[in-house]
Structure formats: structure tokens, C-alpha cells
Amino acid sequence: MSEKYTFFMHLKALPTWLRLSREDRNKFNAQIIQPILKQYSAVNVRWYDAEAFTTKTSDIAVFETDSLRDYYFVVDALRDSQMFSVPYFELVDIIPAVEEGYLEYEASL
């Protein structure tokens, strides 16, 4: 079985991000975030909005990959970007998981 890793990155939008116009946010995504993600195509990312449901986290990025190396590099590249250096977002938590990992365990018994 090929290892498939999932990482739930909990983010909190900071006032520096919220002060940007929606046009500037979209430019940032297109010019900074998307090129980073395209560089590491082994990592699939989905974005979820959570701000209407909790005060702890405004956004959740879900990273899926079978390459820990590429995941690590994506996170380092994001940390080097304005996303965390301005910062636009606070990194609240990262929760790693293995999808249906119990199946491989049970098969090994």
C-alpha cells in the first residue's frame, strides 16, 4: 500500500490580510501561492473557510501527498513567503493524518 499523508493546517487570518482588498488577495494567491503549489505537484491542496464557525481558525488548508519531502518543501516555501513573513496568517496548528491507516495495520495482522 502506498502511503498517503494528509495534513490539516489551521490558519488564522491577521489584520494585515483582512486590510487587503479582495483584488489584492486574489493577486497574492495568483502571484505567490499558486506558483509555490505548482512547483510541488505531488502535493494537492484544498482550502476551507472556517471563520463563520470558530474563532480559533479562519481557514483550513488540507494538504494531501505521498511525498513528505514535497510537503515539507511546500511548507518551507510558504513560510518564506509573505503569507507568514508579513505576516498575513498565523499558523495555529498542523494535524497530520494517514487516511484509513487502520486498513494497512489490519492487513499486517
Side-chain angles (χ1 to χ4, degrees):
M1 177 185 275
S2 171
E3 295 294 330
K4 183 86 167 205
Y5 303 98
T6 305
F7 299 88
F8 297 87
M9 181 183 283
H10 293 211
L11 302 162
K12 186 166 191 167
L14 298 174
T16 49
W17 177 255
L18 299 173
R19 280 192 293 269
L20 294 177
S21 68
R22 293 195 179 269
E23 180 181 349
D24 287 341
R25 293 179 199 176
N26 290 332
K27 279 185 200 174
F28 176 78
N29 182 49
Q31 296 172 356
I32 304 298
I33 302 300
Q34 290 309 310
I36 289 171
L37 299 179
K38 284 180 184 169
Q39 188 175 356
Y40 300 100
S41 60
V43 181
N44 180 47
V45 182
R46 295 187 321 273
W47 302 91
Y48 294 86
D49 294 321
E51 65 271 358
F53 309 106
T54 178
T55 58
K56 294 179 174 47
T57 301
S58 62
D59 301 88
I60 299 171
V62 179
F63 298 80
E64 293 179 320
T65 189
D66 56 4
S67 171
L68 289 177
R69 176 189 178 273
D70 283 0
Y71 165 75
Y72 187 92
F73 285 8
V74 166
V75 173
D76 261 359
L78 291 173
R79 289 174 56 104
D80 287 347
S81 79
Q82 297 93 324
M83 184 171 187
F84 295 111
S85 66
V86 168
Y88 288 141
F89 289 88
E90 173 187 344
L91 182 52
V92 176
D93 202 358
I94 297 175
I95 302 170
V98 176
E99 184 175 7
E100 296 182 340
Y102 72 94
L103 293 176
E104 186 173 1
Y105 171 73
E106 288 176 358
S108 74
L109 296 178

